[in-house]
Amino acid sequence: MRRFSEGRVDMKTELVGMNQTELEDFFQDRGEKRFRGRQVYRWIYLNLERDFASMTDLPLQLRQVLEEKARVTWPEVLEEKVSEDGTRKFLLELQDQKTIEMVLIPQPVDSGLRYTVCVSSQVGCPLRCSFCATGAGGFERNLKVHEIVGQVLLSRWVLARENTGAEPRLTNVVFMGMGEPFLNYDAVLSAIRLLTDSEGINMGQRHITVSTSGEVRGIRRLAEEGLQVVLAVSLHAARDSLRDTLVPLNRRYPLAELQSAVQYYFDKTGRRVTLEYILLNRINTNREDARALVTFTRPLLANVNLIPYNEIGSAGYECPPQEVVTRFRRWLEEAGVNTAIREERGADIDAACGQLKAKREDIWQENDTG
Ligand code: SAH
Ligand code: SF4
């Protein structure tokens, strides 16, 4: 039996993060009927219920035992900011008081609103990309499965609670919050399996995007999982000398290795990979950069997503003017590369990776010294 609450004072077992079989085992190990696991699975993942007392199809006595021995928890909302465009950014607190970020992004569709949630996979990130606020903040720890899935359950709960008129639907999950998902591979994979379980949360595999800064072993492992999730690779430069400085992981896995891992993923899964490319003014936006990107991308039949840089004070990079963005896109398209410009969302609330947390810590530091 796994995930007994390691190191927690009250020694309760966290049930969020367990799949149906694990929950059935949990009950069987305690002399209960296996099907209790199925009931609790539905309460947790379908009914978003955290209170055992409300799990009305369980015997009263069992509910009391669960109250003492187990818990159903999600991260707590510490702060929320809402952007003019409706993007909502949450600062969340975990049980050990560490904080992570989560962003809810609405998309209007014919039948109302559809939401994407951007989830974190680590507290901080050890990879220190030079433009990224999360990287600058350093690394604290990996998230547990229940903390990853808990972000999705919390999002569904927030949306359900506020439901006004047309039902808002949380349809997409992107692993683009804090952290490098492939440095927390097992927990991320367990979370994806829970999110896509047709008897539970039941999200479409194709509606889940895992974004990696180029962790080659993770890309190759994911290729073997038999999943149809979207793989996004944060490229940002297609010349090794430049990528070494922007994404330090490139020194470990240079572009040739990354390219062959992406090729492997495409060959194995038949799924086209998305290459993310943040545009940094006067850094990666000239003709040579575009040529190198075309050379990297074409054999992979990958799609390129150009991302206007969300400026963070300390890094010193700038978002290029619109004409540079348009010109860069034209160079790629003229060479036959399928290119999109990612719509900027939530810039007024610092919705880029790591920014809310960085700001809050600035505020705390100011308070500490003042
Ligand atoms: N560690 C993973 C996933 C989290 S970062 C990765 O690097 O892919 C998610 C995306 O946000 C990445 O493409 C990252 O490069 C991008 N990002 C980080 N800081 C940003 C900023 N200030 N503006 C725009 N995009 C940013
Ligand atoms: Fe980590 Fe991604 Fe930020 Fe790089 S961009 S430091 S990999 S979170």
Side-chain angles (χ1 to χ4, degrees), residues 206-248:
R206 288 161 193 240
H207 290 173
I208 296 192
T209 300
V210 182
S211 175
T212 176
S213 56
E215 222 289 326
V216 158
R217 282 171 315 168
I219 295 173
R220 289 183 176 273
R221 270 181 86 180
L222 188 65
E224 309 289 347
E225 301 281 357
L227 287 168
Q228 291 284 299
V229 298
V230 180
L231 176 68
V233 174
S234 299
L235 197 66
H236 311 322
R239 296 183 282 122
D240 276 313
S241 56
L242 177 58
R243 196 164 191 271
D244 280 350
T245 66
L246 297 178
V247 183

Coordinates of all heavy atoms in Angstrom, one line a residue, residues 206-248:
R206 N -6.2 13.6 -25.8 CA -5.7 14.7 -26.8 C -5.9 16.1 -26.2 O -5.5 17.1 -26.8 CB -6.4 14.5 -28.1 CG -6.0 13.3 -28.9 CD -7.0 12.9 -29.9 NE -6.6 11.6 -30.4 CZ -6.3 11.3 -31.6 NH1 -6.3 12.2 -32.6 NH2 -5.9 10.1 -32.0
H207 N -6.6 16.2 -25.1 CA -6.8 17.5 -24.5 C -5.8 17.7 -23.4 O -6.0 18.7 -22.6 CB -8.2 17.6 -23.9 CG -9.3 17.6 -25.0 ND1 -10.6 17.6 -24.8 CD2 -9.1 17.7 -26.4 CE1 -11.3 17.6 -25.9 NE2 -10.4 17.7 -26.9
I208 N -4.8 16.9 -23.3 CA -3.8 17.1 -22.3 C -2.4 17.3 -23.0 O -2.0 16.6 -23.9 CB -3.7 15.8 -21.4 CG1 -5.0 15.7 -20.7 CG2 -2.5 15.9 -20.4 CD1 -5.1 14.7 -19.6
T209 N -1.8 18.4 -22.6 CA -0.5 18.8 -23.2 C 0.6 18.8 -22.1 O 0.4 19.4 -21.0 CB -0.6 20.2 -23.8 OG1 -1.6 20.2 -24.8 CG2 0.8 20.6 -24.4
V210 N 1.7 18.0 -22.4 CA 2.8 18.0 -21.5 C 3.9 18.9 -22.2 O 4.3 18.6 -23.3 CB 3.3 16.6 -21.2 CG1 4.5 16.6 -20.3 CG2 2.2 15.7 -20.7
S211 N 4.4 19.9 -21.4 CA 5.4 20.8 -22.0 C 6.7 20.5 -21.3 O 6.8 20.5 -20.1 CB 5.0 22.2 -21.8 OG 6.0 23.1 -22.2
T212 N 7.7 20.2 -22.1 CA 9.1 19.9 -21.5 C 10.1 20.9 -22.1 O 10.0 21.3 -23.3 CB 9.5 18.5 -21.8 OG1 10.8 18.3 -21.3 CG2 9.5 18.1 -23.3
S213 N 11.1 21.2 -21.3 CA 12.2 22.0 -21.8 C 13.2 21.2 -22.6 O 14.2 21.7 -23.0 CB 12.9 22.7 -20.7 OG 13.3 21.8 -19.8
G214 N 12.9 19.9 -22.8 CA 13.8 19.1 -23.6 C 14.4 17.9 -22.9 O 15.6 17.6 -23.1
E215 N 13.7 17.4 -21.9 CA 14.2 16.3 -21.1 C 14.1 15.0 -21.9 O 13.0 14.4 -22.0 CB 13.4 16.3 -19.8 CG 14.3 16.0 -18.5 CD 14.8 14.6 -18.5 OE1 14.1 13.7 -19.0 OE2 15.9 14.4 -18.0
V216 N 15.1 14.7 -22.6 CA 15.1 13.7 -23.6 C 14.7 12.3 -23.1 O 13.9 11.6 -23.7 CB 16.5 13.6 -24.3 CG1 16.7 12.3 -25.0 CG2 16.7 14.8 -25.3
R217 N 15.1 12.0 -21.9 CA 14.7 10.6 -21.4 C 13.2 10.6 -21.2 O 12.5 9.6 -21.5 CB 15.4 10.3 -20.1 CG 16.8 9.9 -20.2 CD 17.5 9.8 -18.9 NE 17.2 11.0 -18.1 CZ 17.4 11.2 -16.8 NH1 17.9 10.2 -16.1 NH2 17.1 12.3 -16.2
G218 N 12.6 11.7 -20.7 CA 11.2 11.8 -20.5 C 10.4 11.7 -21.8 O 9.4 11.0 -21.9
I219 N 10.9 12.3 -22.9 CA 10.2 12.3 -24.2 C 10.2 10.8 -24.7 O 9.2 10.3 -25.1 CB 11.0 13.2 -25.2 CG1 10.9 14.6 -24.7 CG2 10.4 13.0 -26.6 CD1 11.7 15.6 -25.6
R220 N 11.3 10.1 -24.5 CA 11.4 8.8 -25.0 C 10.5 7.8 -24.2 O 9.9 6.9 -24.7 CB 12.9 8.3 -25.0 CG 13.7 9.0 -26.1 CD 15.1 8.4 -26.2 NE 15.8 9.1 -27.3 CZ 15.8 8.6 -28.6 NH1 15.1 7.5 -28.9 NH2 16.4 9.2 -29.6
R221 N 10.5 8.1 -22.9 CA 9.6 7.3 -22.0 C 8.1 7.5 -22.4 O 7.4 6.5 -22.5 CB 9.8 7.6 -20.5 CG 10.9 6.8 -19.9 CD 11.0 7.2 -18.4 NE 10.1 6.5 -17.6 CZ 9.9 6.7 -16.2 NH1 10.7 7.6 -15.6 NH2 9.1 5.9 -15.6
L222 N 7.8 8.7 -22.5 CA 6.4 9.0 -22.8 C 5.9 8.4 -24.2 O 4.8 7.9 -24.3 CB 6.1 10.5 -22.9 CG 4.7 11.0 -23.0 CD1 3.9 10.6 -21.8 CD2 4.6 12.5 -23.3
A223 N 6.9 8.3 -25.1 CA 6.6 7.7 -26.4 C 6.1 6.2 -26.2 O 5.4 5.7 -27.1 CB 7.8 7.7 -27.3
E224 N 6.6 5.6 -25.1 CA 6.3 4.1 -24.9 C 5.0 3.9 -24.1 O 4.6 2.8 -23.9 CB 7.4 3.5 -24.1 CG 8.8 3.7 -24.6 CD 9.1 2.9 -25.9 OE1 8.3 2.1 -26.3 OE2 10.1 3.3 -26.6
E225 N 4.3 5.0 -23.7 CA 3.2 4.8 -22.8 C 1.9 4.4 -23.4 O 0.9 4.2 -22.8 CB 3.0 6.1 -21.9 CG 4.2 6.5 -21.1 CD 4.4 5.7 -19.8 OE1 3.5 4.8 -19.5 OE2 5.4 5.9 -19.1
G226 N 1.8 4.5 -24.7 CA 0.6 4.2 -25.4 C -0.5 5.3 -25.2 O -1.7 5.0 -25.2
L227 N -0.1 6.5 -25.0 CA -1.0 7.6 -24.7 C -1.1 8.5 -26.0 O -0.1 8.6 -26.8 CB -0.5 8.5 -23.5 CG -0.7 7.8 -22.1 CD1 0.0 8.7 -21.1 CD2 -2.2 7.7 -21.8
Q228 N -2.2 9.3 -26.1 CA -2.4 10.2 -27.2 C -2.3 11.6 -26.8 O -2.9 12.5 -27.3 CB -3.7 9.9 -27.8 CG -3.8 8.6 -28.5 CD -3.1 8.6 -29.9 OE1 -3.5 9.4 -30.7 NE2 -2.1 7.8 -30.0
V229 N -1.5 11.9 -25.7 CA -1.4 13.3 -25.2 C -0.5 14.1 -26.2 O 0.2 13.6 -27.0 CB -0.8 13.3 -23.8 CG1 -1.7 12.6 -22.8 CG2 0.6 12.8 -23.7
V230 N -0.7 15.4 -26.1 CA 0.1 16.3 -26.9 C 1.4 16.6 -26.2 O 1.5 16.9 -25.0 CB -0.6 17.7 -27.1 CG1 0.2 18.6 -28.0 CG2 -2.0 17.5 -27.7
L231 N 2.5 16.5 -27.0 CA 3.8 16.8 -26.4 C 4.2 18.2 -27.0 O 4.2 18.4 -28.2 CB 4.9 15.8 -26.8 CG 6.3 16.1 -26.4 CD1 6.5 16.0 -24.9 CD2 7.3 15.1 -27.1
A232 N 4.6 19.1 -26.1 CA 5.1 20.4 -26.5 C 6.5 20.5 -26.0 O 6.8 20.1 -24.9 CB 4.3 21.5 -25.9
V233 N 7.4 20.9 -26.9 CA 8.8 21.1 -26.5 C 9.2 22.6 -26.5 O 9.0 23.2 -27.6 CB 9.7 20.3 -27.5 CG1 11.2 20.5 -27.2 CG2 9.4 18.8 -27.3
S234 N 9.7 23.0 -25.4 CA 10.1 24.5 -25.3 C 11.4 24.6 -26.0 O 12.5 24.4 -25.3 CB 10.1 24.9 -23.9 OG 8.8 24.7 -23.3
L235 N 11.5 25.0 -27.2 CA 12.7 25.1 -28.0 C 13.4 26.4 -27.8 O 14.5 26.4 -27.3 CB 12.4 24.8 -29.5 CG 13.6 24.4 -30.3 CD1 14.1 23.1 -29.9 CD2 13.3 24.4 -31.8
H236 N 12.8 27.5 -28.2 CA 13.2 28.9 -28.0 C 14.5 29.2 -28.7 O 14.8 30.4 -28.9 CB 13.5 29.2 -26.5 CG 12.3 28.8 -25.6 ND1 11.0 28.9 -26.0 CD2 12.3 28.2 -24.4 CE1 10.2 28.5 -25.0 NE2 10.9 28.1 -24.0
A237 N 15.3 28.2 -29.2 CA 16.4 28.5 -30.1 C 16.8 27.2 -30.8 O 16.6 26.2 -30.2 CB 17.6 29.0 -29.2
A238 N 17.2 27.3 -32.0 CA 17.5 26.1 -32.8 C 19.0 26.1 -33.1 O 19.5 25.4 -34.0 CB 16.7 26.1 -34.0
R239 N 19.8 26.9 -32.4 CA 21.3 26.9 -32.5 C 21.8 26.5 -31.1 O 21.4 27.2 -30.2 CB 21.8 28.2 -33.0 CG 21.4 28.6 -34.4 CD 22.0 29.9 -34.8 NE 21.4 31.1 -34.2 CZ 22.0 32.0 -33.5 NH1 23.3 31.9 -33.2 NH2 21.3 33.0 -33.0
D240 N 22.7 25.6 -31.1 CA 23.2 25.1 -29.7 C 23.8 26.2 -28.9 O 23.5 26.3 -27.7 CB 24.2 23.9 -29.9 CG 23.5 22.6 -30.0 OD1 22.5 22.3 -29.2 OD2 23.8 21.8 -30.9
S241 N 24.6 27.1 -29.5 CA 25.3 28.1 -28.7 C 24.3 29.0 -28.0 O 24.4 29.4 -26.9 CB 26.2 28.9 -29.6 OG 25.5 29.5 -30.7
L242 N 23.2 29.4 -28.7 CA 22.2 30.2 -28.1 C 21.3 29.5 -27.1 O 21.0 29.9 -26.0 CB 21.3 30.9 -29.2 CG 20.2 31.7 -28.7 CD1 20.7 32.9 -27.9 CD2 19.3 32.3 -29.9
R243 N 20.9 28.3 -27.5 CA 20.1 27.5 -26.6 C 20.8 27.1 -25.3 O 20.1 27.1 -24.3 CB 19.5 26.2 -27.4 CG 18.3 25.6 -26.6 CD 17.5 24.6 -27.5 NE 16.3 24.3 -26.8 CZ 16.1 23.3 -25.9 NH1 17.1 22.5 -25.6 NH2 15.0 23.1 -25.3
D244 N 22.1 26.9 -25.4 CA 22.8 26.6 -24.2 C 22.6 27.8 -23.2 O 22.6 27.5 -21.9 CB 24.3 26.6 -24.5 CG 24.7 25.2 -25.1 OD1 23.9 24.3 -25.1 OD2 25.9 25.1 -25.5
T245 N 22.5 29.0 -23.6 CA 22.4 30.1 -22.7 C 21.0 30.3 -22.2 O 20.7 30.7 -21.1 CB 22.9 31.4 -23.3 OG1 22.0 31.8 -24.4 CG2 24.3 31.3 -23.8
L246 N 20.0 30.0 -23.1 CA 18.6 30.2 -22.7 C 18.0 29.1 -21.9 O 17.3 29.3 -20.9 CB 17.7 30.4 -24.0 CG 18.0 31.6 -24.9 CD1 17.1 31.6 -26.1 CD2 17.8 32.9 -24.1
V247 N 18.3 27.9 -22.3 CA 17.8 26.7 -21.7 C 19.0 25.8 -21.3 O 19.5 25.0 -22.1 CB 16.9 25.9 -22.7 CG1 16.3 24.7 -22.0 CG2 15.8 26.8 -23.3
P248 N 19.5 26.0 -20.1 CA 20.8 25.3 -19.7 C 20.7 23.8 -19.9 O 21.8 23.1 -20.1 CB 21.0 25.7 -18.3 CG 20.2 26.9 -18.1 CD 19.1 26.9 -19.1

